[in-house]
Amino acid sequence: MDIPQRVIELDDLTLRAFNGVADLPELFQVIEESLEHLRPWMPWVAEHSLARTTAFLDGRAQCWASGEEFTYAIVREGALVGACGLLRHDDTPPDTREIGYWLHPAATGRGVATRTARALAEQAFRLPGVDHVEIVHDPANTASGAVPARLGFTPYLRRPAEPLAPAETGEVQIWRLDRGRARPLAPVPVDSQDAPPYPRFHQVHRPMTAAGREVEDFGSGRS
């Protein structure tokens, strides 16, 4: 089975597959320091715990092996500053992958989210059968729309969604990049401004049951 690269080097950033519980101390600390920053858009924050973060890390290898989702630690200058991934939800079409991410507040405003999303889009189109890549956010999180717009995604659909986090409005905006219409993705300046954390990433961080339902914590909310 073709899978994305496990390590992606991006100048001062590295996206790498999580290393199981070896990442637990640093990841848990980063989440603890980011809770108030993430709370408006991330439903999993309300249930965050050491046990849930441990379970998330325990499930990463199986998710990679099965192809269900490919989750990365975002590392900047040697420090873990967030997480990202390529995923599918129950309602994601078979030919589509979705990008999710979140960042520690100290890592925002540095182009990290934009460069991360660019790299993940490139990885998604390497997967067989993937013709579309999507980014989904709550319309109220207007700055989040800047990331897909900057990368050549186009507005695809707005639809109702159950609000699960404090700032969610009950709708989602879906941006789409198509394989056949995708232009080469331009390099992103290191100092380009990022949006707030992408709101639909809670499922990236939840180990899945065989039926595909989340049994754990942390990623983004489908806002």
Side-chain angles (χ1 to χ4, degrees):
M1 179 182 66
D2 292 324
I3 62 173
Q5 294 174 230
R6 293 185 65 86
V7 179
I8 305 169
E9 299 289 350
L10 304 169
D11 297 321
D12 63 330
L13 296 179
T14 299
L15 311 182
R16 62 165 177 81
F18 278 101
N19 188 25
V21 294
D23 282 321
L24 179 60
E26 189 173 15
L27 178 60
F28 186 74
Q29 180 179 343
V30 169
I31 298 171
E32 288 280 294
E33 294 174 357
S34 305
L35 290 176
E36 295 312 308
H37 174 64
L38 300 174
R39 192 178 305 279
W41 307 111
M42 304 286 192
W44 56 268
V45 167
E47 299 178 347
H48 164 66
S49 69
L50 182 62
R52 287 178 177 273
T53 305
T54 302
F56 161 71
L57 290 171
D58 284 343
R60 294 309 90 199
Q62 177 57 37
C63 287
W64 273 81
S66 67
E68 288 180 2
E69 56 187 64
F70 306 103
T71 317
Y72 296 84
I74 304 173
V75 179
R76 182 173 186 268
E77 299 178 348
L80 197 156
V81 297
C84 64
L86 291 170
L87 62 147
R88 285 196 176 108
H89 298 280
D90 290 346
D91 59 350
T92 304
D95 62 351
T96 302
R97 285 280 181 171
E98 186 177 318
I99 293 171
Y101 63 83
W102 64 263
L103 293 173
H104 187 286
T108 62
R110 302 172 186 272
V112 174
T114 304
R115 287 180 286 153
T116 293
R118 177 185 186 271
L120 291 180
E122 291 175 341
Q123 292 297 312
F125 285 131
R126 294 182 180 183
L127 297 174
V130 173
D131 294 320
H132 313 286
V133 180
E134 294 180 343
I135 290 178
V136 183
H137 66 91
D138 191 290
N141 193 351
T142 55
S144 285
V147 171
R150 186 179 295 126
L151 295 174
F153 287 67
T154 57
Y156 172 66
L157 180 67
R158 182 180 290 202
R159 68 184 183 195
E162 180 184 1
L164 299 173
E168 293 180 347
T169 63
E171 285 190 309
V172 291
Q173 174 65 56
I174 302 173
W175 295 73
R176 175 175 277 193
L177 186 67
D178 299 327
R179 179 190 293 273
R181 300 182 61 183
R183 62 178 185 268
L185 296 175
V188 179
V190 172
D191 62 352
S192 64
Q193 294 296 303
D194 279 330
Y198 170 50
R200 188 168 138 141
F201 192 44
H202 65 271
Q203 286 173 297
V204 172
H205 288 278
R206 298 189 177 191
M208 298 287 191
T209 64
R213 302 306 302 170
E214 307 100 309
V215 297
E216 215 263 303
D217 173 43
F218 105 70
S220 108
R222 211 181 227 249
S223 27

